[in-house]
Amino acid sequence: MTLDTAPPGGLRRTLSALGAAQAYIGLVLVLAVGIATKGEMFLNETNLTNAIGAFASRGILAVGVTLVILTGGIDLSVGSLLGIASMTAAMMLSKHSLEPWQIVPICMVVGAFFGFLNGAGTTWLRIQSFVMTLAMLSVVRGLDRQVSDNVSVGTQITGPDGQLTPQAEAFQLFGTPGHNLFGRVYYPVLAFIVVCVVFHLILTKTRFGRHVYAVGGNPTAARLSGVNVTAVTIAVFTLSGLLAGFAGPIDAAYSASADPQAGQSYELDAIAAAVIGGASLAGGKGTIAGTFVGALILTLLDNVLGLNAVSDNWQLVIKGLIVVVAVVLQRPDLFTFFRGGSRS
């Protein structure tokens, strides 16, 4: 006997629309709570700029993680990759006095290398992405601690005159508060926006972008259609690592140092931003615009909770619950799920 608990057409369309707009609804709710509880203190330009700037490196990680999620995988190693890129940047600056334009490409290559290994392990060795990237998280964190000897490395390097060296002065532009383009635009925020625009265009205007969605939607069908699933999968992991390498110098500049623990738990924020923004963990569904909004929600949520003196412990609880709600809202059988019924 078949129990028909499918929602009526109108309700089904309403639920679908709510699911698609969940990120934007969430952003409005967070803004409303911030304005209602802290008013002008929350809306202050300096407060919002600093809040978004502090989250920019995690937002960039979220873009890379979104690419992997779109193919049906997961990347748990991005926090560690950011950490080792951050340490690489600090060491290149303090020990070799390299210019920022030399440091950033090196960090991106380091991140891309480990990202490539993630992709190779996932495809050629057929290790589940969850296991492969979890192992990479541990490997890279251990390497980070080994090369740094468990000691933080500062990025505000001074010369014999006690002033910042030219290289260190230039490096501050990547994330040190107070260094703004035209006196208004905070560099990390600009970097995050540029990354979002570039990868939005890649996903929506290129053949590679269509292949990413195809692999996540149905890898077998994609392969039969001529898509090189292995190459696409390796490419998205490599790009995720490359973006983590790009975020490393930003994080080091913002913190004025590279810590062996830098980036710890950032992968959770990155995944949360993608999921809250509408990316489906089953693959094939999601947008960079949604991830951008998801990152904004987490940024402003952190800020609102901080302004209201909510403890770090409760902040973790609240963010975890929001991720659960976001995943539940994405369920195509949401109506029948709550009715306790079955489709067949």
Side-chain angles (χ1 to χ4, degrees):
M1 179 179 178
T2 299
L3 180 62
D4 185 9
T5 56
L11 178 57
R12 185 167 57 247
R13 286 192 293 273
T14 300
L15 290 173
S16 177
L18 285 175
Q22 66 178 36
Y24 302 96
I25 295 173
L27 181 60
V28 171
L29 289 176
V30 173
L31 285 171
V33 171
I35 294 171
T37 57
K38 289 299 175 182
E40 292 184 3
M41 183 185 295
F42 171 71
L43 292 175
N44 180 278
E45 180 183 346
T46 302
N47 173 60
L48 293 177
T49 301
N50 290 338
I52 297 173
F55 200 86
S57 57
R58 280 170 282 179
I60 293 171
L61 295 185
V63 173
V65 167
T66 300
L67 298 177
V68 177
I69 289 176
L70 286 175
T71 62
I74 196 75
D75 190 347
L76 300 177
S77 67
V78 289
S80 292
L81 297 188
L82 178 147
I84 201 165
S86 170
M87 185 59 69
T88 300
M91 287 187 165
M92 292 295 104
L93 181 66
S94 63
K95 297 184 183 300
H96 304 286
S97 300
L98 293 187
E99 299 287 348
W101 63 267
Q102 297 171 305
I103 293 174
V104 173
I106 291 174
C107 293
M108 294 174 73
V109 169
V110 170
F113 170 72
F114 289 110
F116 172 80
L117 293 182
N118 279 332
T122 302
T123 54
W124 294 338
L125 300 181
R126 298 186 180 181
I127 301 173
Q128 290 185 339
S129 61
F130 175 86
V131 177
M132 183 67 211
T133 57
L134 184 62
M136 188 62 71
L137 179 157
S138 178
V139 168
V140 174
R141 183 65 67 191
L143 290 174
D144 193 359
R145 293 178 181 177
Q146 181 64 32
V147 298
S148 65
D149 200 21
N150 271 324
V151 176
S152 297
V153 179
T155 61
Q156 296 190 334
I157 313 302
T158 57
D161 58 356
Q163 301 297 315
L164 289 177
T165 63
Q167 295 84 356
E169 183 67 37
F171 190 77
Q172 308 311 306
L173 297 178
F174 284 107
T176 307
H179 293 74
N180 301 329
L181 182 64
F182 304 128
R184 305 283 296 181
V185 183
Y186 194 22
Y187 284 102
V189 177
L190 179 63
F192 178 36
I193 292 173
V194 170
V195 166
C196 286
V197 171
V198 169
F199 280 88
H200 168 76
L201 293 175
I202 289 175
L203 283 178
T204 57
K205 303 295 183 183
T206 69
R207 177 179 296 180
F208 172 73
R210 292 192 294 274
H211 287 179
V212 169
Y213 282 104
V215 170
N218 189 327
T220 301
R223 185 177 291 106
L224 293 175
S225 300
V227 176
N228 189 331
V229 176
T230 298
V232 171
T233 303
I234 292 177
V236 295
F237 276 104
T238 303
L239 287 171
S240 180
L242 181 139
L243 287 176
F246 178 61
I250 294 175
D251 193 73
Y254 180 81
S255 305
S257 69
D259 188 274
Q261 303 300 326
Q264 196 164 33
S265 82
Y266 279 18
E267 58 277 353
L268 300 181
D269 282 337
I271 294 170
V275 172
I276 291 172
S280 170
L281 293 174
K285 179 184 174 185
T287 64
I288 297 300
T291 297
F292 180 79
V293 176
L296 278 183
I297 291 174
L298 288 178
T299 300
L300 298 177
L301 181 64
D302 276 346
N303 188 249
V304 170
L305 295 176
L307 290 176
N308 285 283
V310 177
S311 71
D312 292 344
N313 297 336
W314 281 113
Q315 289 188 32
L316 288 173
V317 172
I318 292 170
K319 286 197 288 188
L321 291 175
I322 289 175
V323 172
V324 171
V325 171
V327 172
V328 170
L329 288 176
Q330 291 178 6
R331 291 187 62 143
D333 59 343
L334 181 64
F335 184 84
T336 55
F337 174 74
F338 283 109
R339 287 281 300 271
S342 170
R343 285 183 166 184
S344 62

